[in-house]
Amino acid sequence: YNNLGNTYFKIENWDSAYKYINLATAINKTTGNEYNLATSLNNLGNILMNQNKYQEAKLVLDSALYYSLESENNEKLRDVHHTLYTYYQDKSLFKEALINLALHHKFKDSMLDNERIKIISNLESKAKEAELGEEISEAKAATNLRNLWIVAICSALFISLLFAYQLLLKRKRASKEAKLRLQNERLRISRDLHDN
């Protein structure tokens, strides 16, 4: 209903805007949500001012201010003080208009400060994440280098063992061949002796 009322407000259909915002206000009163109630009452005050119903608008805007304070929401306080500024300016009460304009800017600035703090905190956390990511990358690179050295050393050791094993097999083969030649020589000598 609040959105419908705002739509009619934008096209300056005050009766329909009032009808829907009033319905939204009634619902918000039953739910007890101060933020929503402040929103709908502020919108209702705006509509009443545009209908030149300033006495009713002031009562509604005072309620909007009360619920804005209850909600402790700077956005609502900013909006209500801006509407009150417009109200007092229309009524040629410039001192009150100036006070509400100053309060509007105060809450607007506090929202900007909060937003800046969030942005700075977000940037700081991203910087920490990037720094941590860099440290993780460096650690991974060191681990990869260490693993590469381990693989290289293991490969060299394996090749050395394989070479030693081949050398051992070659010596055994040479030893067997030498024994076989010696045995063949003995057999030949033994046959020659036997023949002689």
Side-chain angles (χ1 to χ4, degrees):
Y1 289 133
N2 196 51
N3 290 342
L4 281 170
N6 280 329
T7 303
Y8 282 114
F9 181 86
K10 287 175 185 169
I11 60 172
E12 299 181 5
N13 184 338
W14 308 123
D15 292 334
S16 295
Y18 181 84
K19 173 185 159 187
Y20 286 109
I21 297 291
N22 204 28
L23 284 168
T25 304
I27 291 169
N28 290 328
K29 281 180 182 176
T30 61
T31 63
N33 184 322
E34 287 98 359
Y35 177 89
N36 290 341
L37 197 51
T39 301
S40 58
L41 286 168
N42 187 51
N43 291 340
L44 203 56
N46 259 320
I47 293 164
L48 289 167
M49 284 176 13
N50 279 292
Q51 292 177 317
N52 294 319
K53 297 178 181 177
Y54 282 94
Q55 260 189 320
E56 288 178 60
K58 180 66 169 90
L59 292 172
V60 169
L61 290 173
D62 287 343
S63 295
L65 181 59
Y66 170 81
Y67 287 110
S68 295
L69 290 167
E70 287 294 307
S71 73
E72 297 178 355
N73 184 286
N74 288 348
E75 179 188 358
K76 288 295 112 200
L77 287 163
R78 175 201 66 187
D79 294 345
V80 171
H81 281 295
H82 187 268
T83 307
L84 284 167
Y85 154 72
T86 305
Y87 170 83
Y88 285 119
Q89 190 176 28
D90 289 353
K91 297 295 281 176
S92 298
L93 298 167
F94 299 114
K95 182 179 176 184
E96 289 83 359
L98 187 60
I99 290 168
N100 280 282
L101 183 61
L103 287 168
H104 163 74
H105 285 294
K106 172 189 164 189
F107 290 112
K108 183 179 176 183
D109 290 344
S110 73
M111 287 175 58
L112 290 175
D113 287 342
N114 289 341
E115 199 171 308
R116 281 187 208 117
I117 290 168
K118 284 180 189 175
I119 289 169
I120 290 169
S121 296
N122 189 18
L123 288 174
E124 285 174 346
S125 70
K126 284 183 180 181
K128 285 180 184 176
E129 285 175 18
E131 190 177 299
L132 186 61
E134 201 172 291
E135 288 175 11
I136 289 170
S137 294
E138 288 173 4
K140 281 182 181 179
T143 302
N144 288 342
L145 184 61
R146 188 189 71 221
N147 289 345
L148 186 63
W149 274 106
I150 290 171
V151 167
I153 291 169
C154 288
S155 298
L157 187 60
F158 178 73
I159 290 170
S160 299
L161 288 173
L162 191 60
F163 181 73
Y165 182 70
Q166 289 294 327
L167 192 61
L168 182 66
L169 285 178
K170 199 174 190 182
R171 283 186 181 172
K172 280 185 180 181
R173 204 175 310 123
S175 176
K176 278 184 184 180
E177 287 174 1
K179 282 181 185 178
L180 191 60
R181 278 196 309 269
L182 184 62
Q183 192 177 9
N184 285 339
E185 189 61 28
R186 282 183 187 159
L187 277 173
R188 186 187 63 76
I189 293 172
S190 143
R191 268 187 297 223
D192 285 347
L193 284 174
H194 183 268
D195 288 346
N196 289 335

